[in-house]
Amino acid sequence: FAFSLPTASSSVTVQFALSSSNSDLYIELDDISLNSTTANLISNGNFETGNYTIGWIVNSCGASCDPGVDMLNPHSGFFQFY
């Protein structure tokens, strides 16, 4: 996925969502980046801190949601968000 931020904008919110009535669905994220011409603008996009609360906010998780970082199936490195 590619996205171009207009130069007049000073900020952007990146959201990932999964919605279903099936409680067995899940999402795994790893190696997330948002690049300017000189740097990656995403903090902890590879979750290698082992902690998703650094640079990330989880909203509307619900009672059955238990987000976290694990080592089960990362794209690269040691950790992924689930």
Side-chain angles (χ1 to χ4, degrees), residues 1 3 20 22-23 26 28-29 32 37-38 42 44-45 52 55 62 64 67 75:
F1 178 76
F3 172 77
S20 175
N22 183 342
S23 63
Y26 61 91
E28 296 175 340
L29 301 173
I32 299 167
T37 56
T38 58
I42 299 286
N44 193 26
Y52 73 89
S64 63
H75 178 255

Side-chain angles (χ1 to χ4, degrees), residues 3-45:
F3 172 77
S4 296
L5 182 66
T7 44
S9 297
S10 61
S11 67
V12 65
T13 299
V14 178
Q15 297 180 338
F16 300 93
L18 178 67
S19 177
S20 175
S21 59
N22 183 342
S23 63
D24 293 335
L25 290 177
Y26 61 91
I27 189 169
E28 296 175 340
L29 301 173
D30 197 11
D31 297 331
I32 299 167
S33 63
L34 180 64
N35 297 305
S36 72
T37 56
T38 58
N40 181 7
L41 304 175
I42 299 286
S43 174
N44 193 26

